[in-house]
Amino acid sequence: MADSLVVRFDALTAVDDVSLEIECGEVFGLLGPNGAGKTTTLRVLTTLLKPASGSALVAGFDVGSDALSVRASIGYVPQALSADGGLTAAENLDFYARVTGVPRAERTARIAAAVEAMELEPMLDRLARTFSGGMLRRLEIATALLNRPEVLFLDEPTVGLDPTARELVWERVHALRAEAGTTVVVTTHLMEEAERHCDRLAIMDAGRIVDLGTPSELLSRHGERSLEAVFRAVTGRVISDEGRISDVRSQRRVARRLG
Ligand SMILES: Nc1ncnc2c1ncn2[C@@H]1O[C@H](COP(=O)(O)OP(=O)(O)OP(=O)(O)O)[C@@H](O)[C@H]1O
Ligand SMILES: [Mg+2]
């Protein structure tokens, strides 16, 4: 899917020689701390950003030379909230159906299918601003499904949600994959979630992919019991629940001083 992608922002290399092969119908996770380059990688794959070098094919189309075909084949839920709080859920869906070019004759059916997939029926007439975080995420995923994407990109879909809301979002993502065969590419810094919900994972750190495999392959390759430990083993650093990283060595030094 991606071949030797490089993205630079001035002196910073945010994505440094990233290559990925993502299979049809899998839930693929990009796991890494804040600033690892996850969002930047998604922005290249969704045609929003041109790489300095490298290439990528999404749903069989080249992100550089055939961006329109890529866009027609994908759904993208960005990291920042994107639903309009001043509109009801139904109005948000109608708006997205129009802007993503869903043919008028198919709008009602497509909206109904997305509502069913994300279980939004009871809240269609409520203003999005009155939604909980989990409902909002499901509404946003529903808007990204209106063009029946082959590949759905979700940037930190469960960040800031309580455990129940997270489970509901994941349950709907798995149902979508089972029912429509959608390929899902998801970023997260939540190790436990990545381990439970992704078929395969790429661990990213400082723009590079430092390891890749199924959760169980990653654990057994490093002889570790948790992905936290795998991350520490490959990068020498630890990742916090909020996605921040810290240097294991400096932590140990502090611990020694305190002890
Ligand atoms: N438009 C931009 N201009 C300059 N630097 C940028 C830009 N976008 C991202 N960066 C930098 O590129 C690096 C990678 O950022 P990116 O947003 O891809 O990380 P991330 O893995 O998604 O992190 P997070 O978990 O915080 O979302 C960071 O150092 C960031 O500051
Ligand atoms: Mg990000």
Side-chain angles (χ1 to χ4, degrees), residues 47-108:
T47 78
L48 298 173
L49 194 66
K50 278 210 182 317
S53 62
S55 60
L57 289 182
V58 174
F61 303 110
D62 189 295
V63 294
S65 61
D66 207 354
L68 285 180
S69 302
V70 172
R71 287 180 201 178
S73 316
I74 63 171
Y76 176 44
V77 179
Q79 188 165 355
L81 295 179
S82 59
D84 186 333
L87 299 180
T88 64
E91 288 165 346
N92 265 289
L93 286 160
D94 186 62
F95 170 76
Y96 274 92
R98 287 164 199 266
V99 295
T100 56
V102 175
R104 178 192 282 272
E106 288 184 36
R107 255 180 235 157
T108 312

Side-chain angles (χ1 to χ4, degrees), residues 9 12 14 33-40 79 156:
F9 297 113
L12 174 82
N34 294 148
K38 306 180 297 294
T39 296
T40 308
Q79 188 165 355
E156 310 252 7

Side-chain angles (χ1 to χ4, degrees), residues 153-173:
F153 293 93
L154 304 175
D155 198 354
E156 310 252 7
T158 60
V159 81
L161 303 186
D162 65 45
T164 320
R166 269 187 217 164
E167 278 308 306
L168 265 177
V169 168
W170 277 114
E171 183 206 297
R172 292 292 92 211
V173 166

